[in-house]
């Protein structure tokens, strides 16, 4: 089927740059651009979205001083120029309404059923998350793109418009945005095949991230422009003549490489700028894929190709669908010049990317590309949010290679990936069971570096308890493999800990000549707050609770003298009459907490919580000083201090205090610590048992903005 291609923009025109000359008809350039690609479609929803957005943003202004509506309008223009469908252009107009006006998602769904899910995807989580961490925002974007990849297209158009107006921002903020753009959005645009947007975002980010070097590069390029243009013109002429002699019809254009790509070559790859010919290229556009190969043959017949620089992305497209033949030739005077050969269709796809991909529409489904699927899956799995950005950057920035299963399924991996990455990309079970690999039929190590085109067979173990090797973590590259290995190892580590804990407990107890009954052990583990015996063994094995503390808790009857406290309702075993009994100030135990006593040298017995880190240290050093202690029925009051971690907002402290006073608790003190947008509020009050503390903790957790409530 012959596909309808988007009519290309005039080459001189930047995306979204057309501005209406008629102040009463600002939308018409968007409609014109949209209609040129989608001549038969009804534009009523776009016009309605324009009216709604305009009235919602009424009275709001951009940092530039322009009315706010210029932004959504500009974003919609970029999207229309990219060739996007009607839902996307509509969403472009509405993309900031839910976040920045009092328009709700429900209203949006009712008014714009076809665009609302896209608007939802680009809207940040909720009103309190305005200051949401970068990592969370990006995570949400990736997950939204998994549902509908077009969310990414809208987000990138939004970023492009904003990048063009960074000059109105404080320099520091602009440079932060520029860094984020280079780290994430540029690569997303690349993955989505939006070559034109990617290049502009790179150049803008470079300009704001490092204005001094940017000016330098611009000047250097300008100083060589004369000689460069002359050389380029001559080479284009000769290529044109050569192809014509060979009987081929071809359009030849020159290509100036972007400032950012020059910067990358000079600063990052440390190449010499005098090789200015690296910074121009020639593009040959022919009628069919077969003609691409013919043209390359003719060119190689005249000029010698630089070895190793021929790339056939037609037979083996990049994962973003990029297709072209690349070659670099020794041109006149031996100066190298790069030539890209492609059809018009391939060219359009390179410039406009997924947006121009009728492919999705034809399939009737906005299936997300495989890499989004893969990325969303490990992003979802990630435990530690601080790992997100670094992992995402490395996933996005690595060159991709395509490898194959023995059955011929393509597995895309980052460059430098090894068979273990491959195994986990195919299936977690295959990763966990991997014991060896064959690359192109040759037995290889699991840490070998894979190359594009490799066919990889994973040899698996049939053991009933397969397990990855901790060693693998030192050479795997993909976040997915790393996550899965860590997870599987921690499960195993837990089993190991259980065994270790069990033997530590039993051996120590046997030395003391004591015999344990299952029921007394089980009771003790419950008293210490563990859900099962294994959980107790595991905690002992992992060193979270010392065997001494468990042993102390295990003393199931008074062994020696015991004594009730006069002050608190608790009993300590094995201590004499004269000893003073006090609650330890480090952990302030309350009735219900598992406790033990520690006999000090001069100040009597201190009662600690068994979880108290100080106690853990003390009891490890002097297990002989640990005395068993239990609460009797509760009476009396105990002071506790709790810490409430919350997102800062107006009236937060008032709301928290209200909850505490409603619970009829008397605050004895309170203090706060504020760091950026987080508040740690500390409240001290008296309670008479643990259940009371539980209740107040639960009610505080209900307060809007509260992230965590814990004992201080
Ligand atoms: Mn916006």
């Amino acid at each position: 089927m012959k596909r309808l291609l988007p009519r290309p923009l005039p080459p001189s025109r930047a995306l979204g740059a057309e501005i209406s000359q008629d102040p009463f008809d600002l939308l018409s350039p968007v409609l014109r651009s949209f209609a040129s690609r989608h001549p038969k479609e009804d534009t009523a929803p776009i016009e309605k979205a324009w009216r709604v957005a305009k009235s919602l943003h009424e009275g709001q202004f951009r940092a530039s001083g322009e009315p706010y509506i210029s932004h959504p309008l500009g974003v919609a223009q970029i999207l229309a120029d990219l060739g996007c469908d009607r839902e996307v252009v509509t969403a472009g107009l509405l993309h900031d309404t839910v976040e920045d006006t009092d328009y709700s998602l429900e209203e949006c769904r009712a008014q714009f059923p076809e665009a609302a899910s896209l608007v939802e995807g680009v809207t940040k989580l909720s009103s309190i998350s305005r200051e949401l961490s970068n990592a969370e925002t990006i995570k949400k974007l990736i997950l939204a793109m998994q549902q509908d990849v077009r969310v990414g297209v809208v987000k990138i158009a939004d970023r492009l418009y904003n990048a063009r107006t960074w000059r109105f921002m404080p320099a520091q903020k602009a440079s932060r945005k520029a860094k984020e753009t280079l780290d994430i959005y540029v690569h997303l645009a690349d993955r989505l095949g939006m070559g034109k947007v990617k290049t502009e975002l790179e150049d803008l980010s470079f300009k704001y991230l490092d204005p001094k070097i940017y000016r330098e590069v611009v000047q250097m390029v300008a100083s060589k422009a004369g000689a460069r243009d002359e050389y380029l013109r001559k080479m284009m002429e000769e290529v044109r003549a050569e192809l014509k002699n060979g009987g081929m019809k071809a359009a030849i254009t020159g290509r100036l490489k972007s400032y950012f790509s020059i910067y990358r070559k000079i600063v990052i790859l440390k190449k010499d700028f005098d090789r200015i010919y690296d910074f121009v290229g020639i593009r040959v556009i022919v009628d069919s894929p077969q003609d691409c190969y013919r043209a390359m043959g003719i060119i190689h017949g005249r000029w010698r190709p630089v070895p190793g620089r021929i790339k056939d992305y037609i037979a083996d497209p990049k994962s973003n669908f990029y297709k072209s033949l690349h070659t670099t030739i020794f041109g006149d005077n031996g100066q190298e010049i790069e030539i890209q050969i492609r059809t018009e269709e391939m060219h359009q796809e390179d410039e406009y990317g997924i947006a121009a991909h009728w492919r999705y529409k034809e399939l009737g489904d906005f299936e997300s590309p495989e890499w989004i699927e893969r990325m969303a899956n490990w992003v979802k799995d990630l435990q530690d949010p601080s790992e997100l950005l670094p992992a995402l950057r490395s996933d996005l920035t690595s060159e991709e290679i395509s490898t194959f299963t023995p059955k011929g399924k393509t597995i895309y991996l980052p460059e430098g990936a090894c068979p273990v990455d491959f195994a986990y990309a195919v299936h977690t079970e295959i990763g966990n069971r991997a014991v060896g690999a064959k690359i192109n039929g040759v037995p290889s190590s699991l840490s070998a570096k894979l190359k594009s085109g490799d066919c990889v067979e994973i040899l698996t173990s049939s053991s009933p308890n397969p397990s990855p090797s901790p060693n693998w973590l030192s050479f795997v590259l993909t976040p997915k493999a790393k996550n899965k290995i860590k997870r599987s190892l921690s499960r195993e580590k837990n089993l190991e800990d259980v065994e270790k804990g069990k033997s530590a407990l039993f051996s120590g107890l046997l030395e003391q000549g004591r015999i344990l009954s299952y029921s007394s052990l089980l009771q003790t583990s419950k008293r210490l707050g563990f859900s099962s015996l294994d959980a107790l063994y595991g905690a002992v094995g992992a060193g979270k609770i010392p065997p001494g503390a468990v042993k102390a808790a295990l003393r199931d009857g008074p062994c020696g003298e015991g004594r009730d406290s006069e002050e608190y309702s608790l009993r300590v075993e094995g201590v004499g009459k004269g000893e003073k009994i006090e609650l330890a100030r480090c952990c302030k135990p309350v009735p219900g907490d598992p406790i033990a006593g520690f006999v000090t040298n001069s100040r009597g017995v201190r009662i600690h919580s068994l979880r108290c880190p100080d106690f853990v240290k003390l009891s490890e050093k002097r297990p002989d000083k640990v005395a068993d202690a239990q609460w009797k029925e509760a009476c009396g009051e105990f002071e506790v201090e709790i810490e409430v971690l919350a997102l800062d907002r107006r009236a937060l402290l008032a709301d928290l205090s209200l909850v505490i006073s409603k619970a009829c608790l008397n605050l004895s003190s309170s203090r706060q610590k504020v760091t950026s947008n987080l508040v740690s509020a500390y409240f001290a009050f008296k309670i008479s048992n643990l259940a009371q503390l539980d209740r107040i903790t639960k009610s505080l957790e209900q307060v809007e903005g509260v992230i965590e409530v814990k004992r201080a």
Side-chain angles (χ1 to χ4, degrees):
M1 180 179 71
K2 174 91 180 118
R3 274 206 249 160
L4 184 67
L5 280 174
R7 206 181 57 189
L9 292 172
S12 60
R13 208 178 111 198
L15 288 167
E18 193 182 343
I19 293 171
S20 171
Q21 298 306 311
D22 178 357
F24 296 103
D25 186 14
L26 296 173
L27 189 65
S28 62
V30 176
L31 293 176
R32 223 171 13 250
S33 179
F34 178 77
S36 77
R37 270 70 175 274
H38 308 265
K40 290 194 194 110
E41 293 212 27
D42 179 16
T43 57
I46 300 179
E47 290 165 72
K48 181 171 160 197
W50 165 243
R51 286 190 302 272
V52 169
K54 202 166 49 165
S55 79
L56 285 169
H57 288 296
E58 187 76 63
Q60 297 178 333
F61 294 90
R62 300 275 296 173
S64 61
E66 283 186 288
Y68 195 90
I69 192 67
S70 61
H71 165 65
L73 180 67
V75 171
Q77 181 81 58
I78 292 170
L79 293 167
D81 284 353
L82 281 167
C84 291
D85 59 45
R86 185 175 65 206
E87 288 97 271
V88 174
V89 176
T90 309
L93 287 167
L94 296 169
H95 81 271
D96 275 334
T97 52
V98 174
E99 197 169 307
D100 290 338
T101 75
D102 48 20
Y103 194 52
S104 73
L105 208 48
E106 289 67 44
E107 291 170 278
C108 183
R109 274 196 205 104
Q111 285 192 288
F112 301 97
E114 60 176 24
S117 71
L118 287 169
V119 175
E120 183 179 4
V122 297
T123 302
K124 288 184 200 149
L125 288 166
S126 70
S127 54
I128 56 159
S129 61
R130 292 237 50 159
E131 288 297 311
L132 204 66
S133 74
N134 257 342
E136 288 296 318
T137 313
I138 306 262
K139 177 173 173 179
K140 198 209 159 201
L141 173 63
I142 302 286
L143 297 182
M145 284 173 71
Q146 185 190 23
Q147 300 302 311
D148 186 337
V149 68
R150 298 173 302 169
V151 169
V153 177
V154 178
K155 233 5 206 203
I156 288 165
D158 179 37
R159 179 52 59 109
L160 176 61
Y161 185 98
N162 286 333
R164 286 171 177 170
T165 55
W166 278 339
R167 64 180 180 284
F168 298 109
M169 241 184 216
Q172 220 177 7
K173 192 172 173 197
S175 118
R176 207 171 58 231
K177 290 273 173 194
K179 177 152 182 359
E180 183 191 69
T181 304
L182 277 182
D183 278 350
I184 307 286
Y185 290 92
V186 159
H187 302 293
L188 284 179
D190 183 40
R191 287 289 167 92
L192 293 173
M194 300 159 75
K196 213 174 157 86
V197 178
K198 173 198 166 219
T199 308
E200 188 176 347
L201 280 178
E202 272 177 348
D203 271 357
L204 284 165
S205 303
F206 171 32
K207 183 171 167 183
Y208 287 93
L209 197 57
D210 207 335
K212 264 171 70 188
I213 298 192
Y214 179 81
R215 272 200 299 276
E216 198 100 335
V217 170
V218 171
Q219 259 170 27
M220 283 199 294
V221 170
S223 73
K224 309 271 180 189
R228 179 201 64 199
D229 290 353
E230 181 55 27
Y231 175 68
L232 181 60
R233 198 193 50 75
K234 216 168 127 249
M235 281 304 296
M236 278 168 60
E237 218 28 74
E238 288 185 31
V239 169
R240 184 174 292 126
E242 203 64 31
L243 290 176
K244 201 170 164 210
N245 285 343
M248 289 201 64
K249 210 173 97 211
I252 318 273
T253 50
R255 204 163 63 84
L256 302 182
K257 297 198 180 165
S258 72
Y259 291 130
F260 183 75
S261 69
I262 293 171
Y263 162 76
R264 184 160 45 205
K265 270 199 180 146
I266 299 172
V267 177
I268 302 176
L269 306 176
K270 311 215 178 324
K271 295 236 171 114
D272 185 359
F273 182 72
D274 273 335
R275 295 178 52 187
I276 49 164
Y277 307 105
D278 272 358
F279 309 132
V280 291
I282 291 176
R283 191 171 281 145
V284 176
I285 294 184
V286 294
D287 285 340
S288 68
Q290 291 82 345
D291 281 354
C292 293
Y293 293 102
R294 269 184 67 207
M296 180 137 102
I298 292 172
I299 290 168
H300 285 175
R302 159 83 191 270
W303 294 281
R304 194 160 63 83
V306 177
R309 296 286 295 275
I310 303 172
K311 300 238 168 72
D312 183 351
Y313 293 118
I314 295 178
D316 186 16
K318 291 191 189 178
S319 63
N320 65 5
F321 309 117
Y322 179 85
K323 289 181 193 163
S324 270
L325 295 181
H326 288 192
T327 181
T328 302
I329 54 166
F330 292 105
D332 298 347
N333 314 326
Q335 305 283 9
E336 294 172 21
I337 189 163
E338 189 194 49
I339 300 183
Q340 299 177 344
I341 306 166
R342 47 173 75 163
T343 63
E344 180 61 35
E345 182 174 345
M346 296 172 193
H347 180 58
Q348 295 286 309
E349 290 190 349
D350 177 33
E351 295 258 288
Y352 304 120
I354 257 182
H357 265 273
W358 266 266
R359 174 190 314 255
Y360 293 97
K361 196 105 200 193
E362 281 164 7
L363 293 172
D365 185 15
F366 296 95
E367 222 185 303
S368 57
E370 200 210 270
W371 60 268
I372 283 275
E373 212 46 54
R374 192 190 49 182
M375 198 182 286
N377 282 332
W378 70 253
V379 163
K380 235 180 277 173
D381 254 13
L382 203 67
Q383 311 278 311
D384 179 356
S386 69
E387 282 177 15
L388 177 76
L389 285 183
L392 200 60
R393 202 176 307 140
S394 88
D395 187 318
L396 280 168
T397 50
S398 46
E399 281 292 322
E400 286 210 315
I401 56 173
S402 41
T403 57
F404 301 92
T405 67
K407 284 185 180 154
K409 185 175 179 240
T410 309
I411 304 287
Y412 291 107
L413 289 170
E415 194 168 36
C418 64
V420 176
D421 292 303
F422 178 93
Y424 279 102
V426 175
H427 197 282
T428 306
E429 226 7 60
I430 296 187
N432 285 340
R433 289 181 178 277
V435 287
K438 282 185 180 173
I439 302 176
N440 305 322
V442 182
S444 308
S445 108
L446 281 172
S447 63
K449 288 219 185 320
L450 296 176
K451 292 187 310 299
S452 223
D454 280 346
C455 171
V456 185
E457 185 187 342
I458 299 293
L459 312 173
T460 54
S461 121
S462 53
S463 135
N465 297 309
S467 101
S469 150
N471 263 346
W472 294 354
L473 286 172
S474 65
F475 57 77
V476 294
L477 205 65
T478 52
K480 178 173 184 190
K482 266 185 208 156
N483 276 345
K484 296 288 183 192
I485 294 170
K486 276 191 200 154
R487 191 165 279 204
S488 158
L489 287 175
S490 79
R491 210 169 33 232
E492 230 172 80
K493 168 106 182 19
N494 189 27
L495 288 180
E496 233 172 65
D497 285 343
V498 167
E499 286 310 311
K500 228 161 75 187
K502 215 188 255 178
S503 72
L505 272 181
F506 282 95
S507 73
L509 288 167
L510 283 175
E511 276 160 28
Q512 296 174 356
R514 301 185 54 192
I515 299 161
L516 291 172
S517 69
Y518 175 75
S519 68
S520 72
L521 255 178
L522 196 63
Q523 245 175 5
T524 308
S525 78
K526 281 217 183 93
R527 252 182 56 218
L528 296 178
F530 291 97
S531 55
S532 68
L533 258 183
D534 275 356
L536 171 68
Y537 296 146
V540 173
K544 285 182 193 143
I545 173 167
V550 181
K551 281 171 217 164
L554 261 171
R555 289 180 197 176
D556 34 16
C559 48
E561 243 175 313
R563 186 159 82 75
D564 293 343
S565 154
E566 283 123 36
E567 226 178 315
Y568 312 102
S569 96
L570 57 83
R571 181 178 173 79
V572 187
E573 307 297 346
V575 294
K577 276 218 165 65
E579 307 268 25
K580 204 166 163 239
I581 298 174
E582 273 189 343
L583 296 184
R585 248 167 289 159
C586 45
C587 53
K588 296 182 186 159
V590 300
D593 281 342
I595 48 171
F598 190 85
V599 184
T600 62
N601 288 338
S602 54
R603 280 161 298 163
V605 185
R606 288 280 157 79
I607 305 297
H608 290 264
S609 151
L610 283 183
R611 304 264 168 80
C612 165
D614 287 358
F615 174 72
V616 168
K617 268 186 231 138
L618 287 170
S619 65
E620 248 161 349
K621 242 186 259 162
R622 300 298 302 268
D624 53 315
K625 299 254 183 186
V626 174
D628 195 11
Q630 271 119 45
W631 297 105
K632 305 202 292 189
E633 72 278 17
C635 71
E637 290 199 311
F638 299 83
E639 177 156 305
V640 287
E641 190 178 41
I642 56 164
E643 178 189 354
V644 180
L645 182 69
L647 287 167
D648 201 4
R649 64 171 173 83
R650 216 182 314 138
L652 172 74
L653 290 170
D655 289 355
L656 294 175
S657 310
L658 188 68
V659 169
I660 292 170
S661 66
K662 265 192 190 154
C664 297
L665 295 169
N666 285 325
L667 267 187
S668 39
S669 75
S670 75
R671 61 199 164 90
Q672 301 93 39
K673 238 174 31 204
V674 182
T675 38
S676 65
N677 56 331
L678 283 182
V679 184
S680 291
Y682 299 85
F683 299 97
F685 42 78
K686 290 211 159 86
I687 58 167
S688 45
N689 58 52
L690 214 52
Q692 210 178 356
L693 183 64
D694 259 9
R695 277 197 301 275
I696 185 77
T697 303
K698 293 227 169 70
S699 347
L700 285 169
E701 277 167 353
Q702 300 305 311
V703 174
E704 191 189 339
V706 170
I707 297 165
E708 191 185 16
V709 181
K710 59 179 187 202
R711 291 267 284 279

